[in-house]
Amino acid sequence: MSRKKPGEFQVVNHSVAREDGVAKVTGRAVYASDIRLEGMAYAKLLRSPFAHARILSIDASEALRQPGVIAVLHGNNLQGIDPYYGHAVKDHPLLAIGKVRFLGEPVAAVVAEDERSAYEALESVRVEYEELPGVLEVDAALADGAPLVHETSYAGGSFRGFDDPGSMKASNICQEVHLEWGDVAAAFAQAAQVVEGVYYFPMAYAYAMEAYVSIADYNDSGLTVYSSAQHPFIVRHDLAGVFGLFLNRVRVVVPFVGGGYGSKSYTKIEPLTAACSWKAKRPVKLQLSVAEAMLTTRNDDARVRIRTAVDREGRLVAREATIHLNTGAYAENSPLVARKAANRIVGPYRIPNVKVDCCAIYTNTVPASSFRGFGATQVTFPGESQMDELAEKLSCHPVEFRRKNLAARGESIHPGLRPLDADLAGDIAMVVQALETDKPLSKGHGRAVACSASDAGSDPVTSTIVHVYADGSVSVMTGSTELGQGSHTVLRQIAAEEMGVELQKVRVIGPDTAVTPFERSTGASRTTTLMGRAVLEACQEAIVQLRDMAAEILKTAPENLILERSGVAFQDRRLSWQDVLRTFFGLSDCSIIGRAYLRKVGDLALLPVFWEIGCTGVEIAVDAETGRICLERLVTVGDVGLAIHPAMVEGQDLGAATMGLGIGLYEELLYEGQQLLNGNLLDYRVPRFSDLAPKIDLLLVQNQDGRGPYGAKGGGEGSLNPIPACLANALYQATGVRLRRLPLTPERVWRALREQRNKGDNVGH
Amino acid sequence: MKLAFVLNGKPVELDIEPQETLAEVLRNRCHLTGLKISCEVQVCGSCTTLVDDLPVSACTYLAYEARGRRVTTIEGLSEGQPLHPIQQAFLDEFAFQCGFCTPGMILMAKALLLENPNPTDFDLVAYTDGNLCRCTGYRPILKAIRRAASLMREPEAARP
C-alpha cells in the first residue's frame, strides 16, 4: 500500500470542498422524506397505550369504511409473511402480535390516499386490551417471578455468535456477556487501594433531525424500499427474510440521511412499510414524527457496579464490573452493545486482572439499540471517574496516574484482540498542553482529562467497484451511507488521489443494494478505514488493468512501463488513462471497472480493525447558587492515523463532544410509571448555540498507524466517550462533589452542593 | 380556499385547505422540499422560512397567514445567482454535516443579517439559539455567519 506522508498528497489530507456541499446549502439534497412515488399511499400508526398488555381483539372494519382508507394492517392479518425480524435475536414483530411490550408500540397501520385520512382513521381501529403487570426497570425485570417481556424464545438473526436463543431461559435476560482474565479475587485481596461505586448512565435519544422514514413498493418484480437507514444491506437481509424473497429481489436505496448517530443502524420501520405496500398493492410512505422516533429507538441506559484496585506503586492491578443494560422491549442491537460495553470498560490501560459481567435486560420500555459510542459511553463514565478517584487516594495527579497505566502502542490491553494501535500518552500530552493545566484555576472552576479506547470497525467485510471512463472521469460505487460524516467526500478524495484526476471528475454513487456492491454497514467508525481502503485497492486494481492495456498498445511488457500520476510512460511516450482506454477499445465513451473486497484475512484477520481513541479535556465553571455547569473550554484529539479531510475530522470531534456534553449535562429520557414523560423536543433538552464553549481546540494526531488507506483509521465517536467523565471529574475538582449519576443537571448539582454544605455544618457543630 | 402570496419573488395562487400549515403547502403543493420538518413544536428551527423577511416556523404557521406576503425559502435565497454569500460561507466553513438543519439555519442567518449586518458574537448566539443542529457542535455555523456578514458588507474586499 502507498505510504505517502502528510505534505506529499495531492487531494487526500486536504480540506477540499464537500461532495454534497452545494446540494445541501441550496436545499436540493434529496432525503428519503422528500421522495414521492407515482400512485403512492400513506401509512400512519396506532400505538399501544399500555406498557404491557394482552391484545384481546382488533376490529378494523370501521376504519376500513373511512374515506380514503385502503388497508389496515395489524397483528392478526399478517398471514403470508414472516412478521418477525431482528439481526441478533429475531424477536421483533413488525406490528404487535398477541401482546404489546411497551407504551407506544405500533399495533395497527392504516394505509390511506393521504396522510390526513390515514391519521383520522386511526381512532376507528378498535383494540381491546387486558393490561398485564409489566417490568419497567432492570431490578423489577430481574426479580424472582418477574413478569416476562418475552415468554417464547426466538430464532437467531443474521449475526452469529450470540447466545443460542433456543437455550434462552425463562427470564428477562436478553444477553449475557462474561469477560475474565487473571485472578481478580487475589488481586483485590492484595491491593493497596480500592475504589468501588455504582454509576448510572442515562437513557438518551439521538435526535437525528430527520425522523425515521421509508417508502416501499412491493410488486411482481420484487420489493424496492427507499429509507433513512444507515445499514441498507442489513435492512435488505431482514426484508428478504420477512417476505421470503431472494436478495436480488430486494432493493434498498438510501439517499442523503438527516443524521443517524447510530439510531438509524439496523432495521426499523422498513418491514412494516413494505408490508403496507404488500397489503395495499401500492407504493406506501411511512414518515414518523420526532415524537414517534422517540418511541422507536434510544440508547441502553446502564447501571454499572465497578471496583478498581491499584498496588502501592500506583499501578492498576484489577477491575471488576457488573453492567446492567436496560434494553427495553426488543433486542435490536443491544446484544452487541452488551459485548462492546464489556470489552470497553477496560479502557486503554494495562490491567492484569479483569472480570466483567454484562447483562442486557428486557423491560417494558422503548427498545434500545446502537447509539454513537456504543457501549463505550456507558462504561467510560464509571471507568474514568474511578481513575480520578484512585488518583486522589494515591495523592497523584490524575494525568500522571493515567500515564503510568496507559498501554503503549503495540501493547495488548485485551487478550485475544489486536494490540493497541495508538500513542495515547502522546494524545494526552497534547490535551494537557492545550488545556494549560499548569495555569491556576479560578474559583468554582474545574479541569479534567479523560480517555477511552473502543474496539471499532465491526466485521471487515466491504466491497466496492470503481468505474474508469474513457473521458477521464471516475465513479465510485459505494454501499456506505452519507450520514453527514462526509464519507462521499472522503471516498471521492481517495479515488482522485489514486487515479490522478481532478476531484470534480469523480462521482460517488451512494447505496442502492441493486447497484452498489455489498457493504456490511456504516457504523462503528469504519467507513474511512474499510470502504476507503476498498476504494484505494479498487483503483489500484483498475490501474493494473490499464497498465496491461497500455503495454499491449505500446507492444511491450507491462513491467517496462513506468507508472505515473494518471497514466504510464514508456521511453519518450506517455499515455494517460484516457488515451489507453480510447486506443484499446477504439471508442471514446467506454469504461472499465476496478474492484476490491475486504474480508477478515491478512492484516484484517485480527479484530478489532482498529482501536478508536477518545481523548478529551474540559474546563468548566460551576455556579454554586444554581448548580449550573458551563463548559468554558474543550479540547479534543482526533487520533485518526491520517486525516483524509482534516476539517471534517475536526467537525466530527466537535459534534461528538457536543453530544457528550448533552448527555453529561441535560439529556435524559424520563419515565413515570409506564409513560415516557419527555418524549418531545420541548421537554428533551439537546445542546444549543449558547452551550458552545468559548474556547475550543480540536487537535489532530496523524501517526499513520491504522489499517485504512495511507494509515488512516476511524473517528467520529471517540470524542463523545470521555466527555461525561471529564465533566464529572471537573465538577469534583471545582466543588469536591462526586456525582455518579448523569446527567449533571443544575438540580442534581445544587442538591449535592447543599448536602455537602449541610454535612460541613454538622461537622462544624 | 384560495391563497395568494409572493413565493421567491413570483406571485402564486393556490387552492388549499384552511388547516394546512405553510410547511405543508410549500413541501406538498409547491414541491419546495428544501424546507425540512423535524420537531413540529417550534423548537428546532429546521423549517425556518422567511415571511416578509422575518423568520417563522413553517411547521406551525398556518399557510393562510402568509396571504399577500412575501415568502422566501432556501430555493429562492440566491435570487438567480448560483449561491448567496451565506450559502458560500456555509460551504467554506463546513458549517453542516447531514444538512437537515441547514436550509433553516441559512434562512435564520439571512434574517439576522438583514436586521443587523454587523452582529456581535452575543447577537449571533441570541438570534440563532432557536435553531438546533445535532451534527456540528455549532462553531462552524457561527464562523460561517460571521464570514457571510463580512462578505455581504464588503463583497469585494472579503474575497481572497
Side-chain angles (χ1 to χ4, degrees):
Chain A
M1 204 179 282
S2 326
R3 259 299 188 267
K4 291 188 225 175
K5 298 265 168 264
E8 296 167 15
F9 296 102
Q10 309 273 341
V11 191
V12 154
N13 204 221
H14 295 277
S15 296
V16 303
R18 278 185 71 122
E19 191 262 355
D20 51 0
V22 173
K24 285 181 174 174
V25 300
T26 56
R28 293 200 288 268
V30 173
Y31 299 78
S33 45
D34 301 327
I35 291 174
R36 55 171 72 211
L37 302 181
E38 194 61 40
M40 187 167 88
Y42 296 83
K44 288 283 174 194
L45 304 181
L46 181 70
R47 293 174 179 275
S48 165
F50 301 112
H52 199 198
R54 209 181 316 282
I55 299 172
L56 300 177
S57 67
I58 304 179
D59 179 2
S61 53
E62 197 191 327
L64 279 165
R65 286 194 294 272
Q66 299 302 306
V69 171
I70 301 162
V72 179
L73 289 82
H74 50 77
N76 298 338
N77 69 359
L78 299 173
Q79 293 80 10
I81 58 174
D82 175 357
Y84 287 89
Y85 66 96
H87 63 283
V89 182
K90 236 178 110 178
D91 62 357
H92 205 155
L94 46 90
L95 288 167
I97 296 174
K99 71 172 189 174
V100 291
R101 294 184 174 85
F102 67 97
L103 191 150
E105 178 165 12
V107 172
V110 173
V111 184
E113 295 293 342
D114 58 89
E115 282 190 288
R116 204 173 297 271
S117 302
Y119 182 75
E120 283 172 1
L122 289 177
E123 64 179 18
S124 311
V125 180
R126 305 264 176 264
V127 186
E128 272 191 296
Y129 298 94
E130 177 197 341
E131 224 184 321
L132 298 168
V135 287
L136 296 157
E137 290 168 345
V138 296
D139 285 337
L142 292 174
D144 284 342
L148 295 178
V149 180
H150 295 271
E151 289 88 0
T152 44
S153 58
Y154 301 93
S158 55
F159 290 84
R160 316 278 181 262
F162 295 112
D163 285 350
D164 173 15
S167 68
M168 207 168 73
K169 302 174 287 289
S171 79
N172 287 314
I173 292 173
C174 168
Q175 178 79 28
E176 282 181 289
V177 178
H178 178 76
L179 192 72
E180 186 168 358
W181 60 79
D183 184 344
V184 169
F188 274 103
Q190 292 158 21
Q193 294 285 356
V194 175
V195 291
E196 178 163 6
V198 178
Y199 300 77
Y200 178 74
F201 189 91
M203 196 183 279
Y205 166 56
Y207 187 37
M209 292 188 75
E210 177 197 38
Y212 301 104
V213 54
S214 69
I215 298 133
D217 185 5
Y218 190 100
N219 58 42
D220 292 341
S221 64
L223 171 61
T224 301
V225 173
Y226 300 86
S227 174
S228 56
Q230 273 180 250
H231 304 341
F233 289 87
I234 290 169
V235 173
R236 177 181 72 172
H237 171 97
D238 286 345
L239 289 170
V242 169
F243 293 94
L245 293 169
F246 284 114
L247 292 175
N248 68 352
R249 293 285 167 194
V250 181
R251 179 178 183 192
V252 180
V253 184
V254 179
F256 286 123
V257 178
Y261 326 108
S263 72
K264 289 173 178 166
S265 302
Y266 301 96
T267 303
K268 303 294 178 200
I269 58 172
E270 296 86 358
L272 175 53
T273 316
C276 288
S277 172
W278 166 76
K279 204 75 159 181
K281 300 185 168 49
R282 294 262 294 269
V284 173
K285 181 173 191 170
L286 175 57
Q287 167 77 64
L288 300 192
S289 65
V290 161
E292 286 182 291
M294 295 175 96
L295 296 171
T296 305
T297 310
R298 58 174 175 86
N299 72 335
D300 290 80
D301 53 307
R303 191 177 57 200
V304 182
R305 175 177 292 281
I306 177 172
R307 55 180 187 143
T308 309
V310 287
D311 65 14
R312 246 172 282 282
E313 283 72 47
R315 288 178 303 218
L316 289 168
V317 290
R319 174 163 279 180
E320 183 174 14
T322 305
I323 307 165
H324 283 164
L325 300 175
N326 175 4
T327 288
Y330 295 103
E332 294 239 349
N333 206 29
S334 293
L336 199 59
V337 175
R339 183 178 299 170
K340 294 297 185 186
N343 284 350
R344 294 170 177 183
I345 203 165
V346 180
Y349 305 108
R350 64 180 96 80
I351 311 182
N353 305 286
V354 168
K355 184 165 176 268
V356 185
D357 285 290
C358 183
C359 195
I361 298 149
Y362 284 128
T363 60
N364 294 112
T365 58
V366 171
S369 192
S370 312
F371 189 111
R372 195 178 202 168
F374 202 87
T377 39
Q378 287 95 329
V379 298
T380 302
F381 168 57
E384 286 293 280
S385 292
Q386 289 206 331
M387 290 302 284
D388 270 39
E389 292 172 51
L390 277 168
E392 190 189 19
K393 283 203 166 193
L394 293 163
S395 305
C396 179
H397 192 280
V399 169
E400 266 322 301
F401 177 56
R402 282 179 176 79
R403 270 199 197 119
K404 184 176 280 185
N405 287 286
L406 280 173
R409 193 208 308 272
E411 197 173 344
S412 173
I413 51 176
H414 201 303
L417 295 185
R418 183 186 296 279
L420 196 66
D421 52 359
D423 171 26
L424 256 151
D427 297 346
I428 281 202
M430 288 173 72
V431 174
V432 165
Q433 196 186 3
L435 202 58
E436 299 176 290
T437 53
D438 50 334
K439 296 256 172 79
L441 271 172
S442 315
K443 188 173 171 346
H445 281 231
R447 283 192 202 109
V449 175
C451 51
S452 65
S454 297
D455 45 334
S458 185
D459 257 340
V461 180
T462 292
S463 53
T464 186
I465 288 173
V466 172
H467 293 270
V468 183
Y469 296 91
D471 65 354
S473 59
V474 173
S475 285
V476 174
M477 315 296 284
T478 179
S480 299
T481 46
E482 175 55 84
L483 304 163
Q485 84 282 42
S487 59
H488 280 22
T489 304
V490 162
L491 301 175
R492 190 188 203 198
Q493 285 177 275
I494 293 166
E497 182 77 36
E498 291 305 308
M499 297 311 301
V501 300
E502 296 95 340
L503 202 60
Q504 291 70 26
K505 287 190 180 167
V506 181
R507 180 176 182 188
V508 179
I509 310 284
D512 175 340
T513 64
V515 175
T516 51
F518 182 82
E519 162 66 319
R520 184 203 175 273
S521 52
T522 301
S525 305
R526 72 202 293 279
T527 300
T528 298
T529 309
L530 293 170
M531 185 56 78
R533 174 163 154 177
V535 168
L536 183 147
E537 290 184 9
C539 289
Q540 290 178 343
E541 204 231 14
I543 287 171
V544 169
Q545 296 175 53
L546 291 161
R547 186 198 59 182
D548 290 352
M549 291 172 187
E552 191 180 315
I553 294 164
L554 297 165
K555 299 188 174 54
T556 182
E559 312 73 87
N560 297 334
L561 302 180
I562 297 159
L563 281 176
E564 293 185 340
R565 189 170 160 77
S566 75
V568 287
F570 175 60
Q571 294 166 352
D572 57 344
R573 289 189 67 185
R574 190 185 185 284
L575 292 179
S576 68
W577 302 139
Q578 215 167 325
D579 302 330
V580 171
L581 286 169
R582 285 181 179 184
T583 314
F584 189 84
F585 290 104
L587 286 174
S588 59
D589 60 351
C590 55
S591 64
I592 60 156
I593 60 171
R595 74 213 159 87
Y597 55 82
L598 306 181
R599 61 194 178 107
K600 214 177 141 220
V601 295
D603 69 339
L604 297 175
L606 199 55
L607 292 182
V609 176
F610 63 95
W611 287 95
E612 183 171 359
I613 300 308
C615 189
T616 60
V618 304
E619 181 175 330
I620 62 168
V622 185
D623 183 337
E625 294 300 311
T626 62
R628 181 162 182 249
I629 294 175
C630 277
L631 185 64
E632 294 292 323
R633 204 158 178 170
L634 169 70
V635 183
T636 64
V637 169
D639 185 343
V640 293
L642 185 91
I644 305 293
H645 191 293
M648 292 200 310
V649 176
E650 292 167 3
Q652 283 292 303
D653 282 336
L654 179 57
T658 304
M659 222 164 218
L661 180 72
I663 299 176
L665 298 186
Y666 335 106
E667 292 184 41
E668 181 172 22
L669 290 169
L670 294 166
Y671 266 90
E672 188 172 277
Q674 52 184 343
Q675 177 75 46
L676 183 61
L677 271 186
N678 56 344
N680 62 72
L681 254 285
L682 284 168
D683 299 322
Y684 186 87
R685 157 83 154 90
V686 300
R688 299 195 287 248
F689 274 98
S690 50
D691 297 315
L692 186 64
K695 188 158 169 27
I696 299 171
D697 290 290
L698 308 169
L699 310 174
L700 296 179
V701 172
Q702 306 192 78
N703 292 333
Q704 294 188 277
D705 46 10
R707 258 143 302 277
Y710 323 106
K713 53 190 179 180
E717 297 184 77
S719 292
L720 164 56
N721 300 330
I723 293 286
C726 272
L727 295 167
N729 289 339
L731 173 66
Y732 182 81
Q733 197 192 18
T735 64
V737 161
R738 168 65 60 188
L739 286 182
R740 297 187 174 86
R741 185 183 184 97
L742 297 175
L744 307 172
T745 58
E747 183 183 336
R748 262 186 203 135
V749 172
W750 181 82
R751 284 184 190 283
L753 288 170
R754 193 180 59 167
E755 199 179 316
Q756 183 193 43
R757 256 199 320 269
N758 290 346
K759 265 188 202 157
D761 290 348
N762 291 341
V763 172
H765 293 300
Chain B
M1 61 190 287
K2 290 259 187 277
L3 172 68
F5 59 101
V6 176
L7 176 56
N8 294 330
K10 292 192 184 115
V12 291
E13 198 176 315
L14 301 166
D15 266 319
I16 66 160
E17 300 290 324
Q19 70 273 27
E20 281 182 78
T21 64
L22 184 59
E24 287 174 314
V25 166
L26 292 174
R27 278 183 61 86
N28 302 337
R29 295 190 186 273
C30 306
H31 304 294
L32 295 175
T33 53
L35 187 161
K36 298 297 180 225
I37 297 174
S38 181
C39 75
E40 299 180 278
V41 287
Q42 297 185 7
V43 169
C44 75
S46 69
C47 65
T48 301
T49 301
L50 304 187
V51 176
D52 288 344
D53 290 335
L54 292 175
V56 303
S57 291
C59 70
T60 44
Y61 183 93
L62 284 175
Y64 179 71
E65 294 293 327
R67 68 193 182 282
R69 297 179 188 268
R70 281 181 301 115
V71 174
T72 308
T73 69
I74 190 72
E75 289 87 351
L77 180 70
S78 66
E79 295 171 329
Q81 298 300 306
L83 291 174
H84 187 277
I86 302 174
Q87 291 171 315
Q88 187 60 52
F90 269 62
L91 286 178
D92 295 342
E93 295 292 345
F94 301 100
F96 57 89
Q97 288 179 26
C98 84
F100 209 75
C101 73
T102 309
M105 207 60 94
I106 288 174
L107 288 166
M108 184 59 85
K110 165 83 173 174
L112 162 66
L113 296 178
L114 276 172
E115 199 177 307
N116 179 358
N118 197 3
T120 63
D121 283 0
F122 180 84
D123 298 336
L124 266 176
V125 170
Y127 209 93
T128 52
D129 213 26
N131 284 57
L132 299 179
C133 169
R134 195 59 157 161
C135 294
T136 61
Y138 298 109
R139 187 172 74 159
I141 300 175
L142 288 180
K143 284 186 170 176
I145 301 175
R146 274 188 221 116
R147 178 192 279 253
S150 72
L151 276 172
M152 288 162 72
R153 283 195 308 266
E154 303 168 75
E156 293 316 310
R159 291 221 170 93

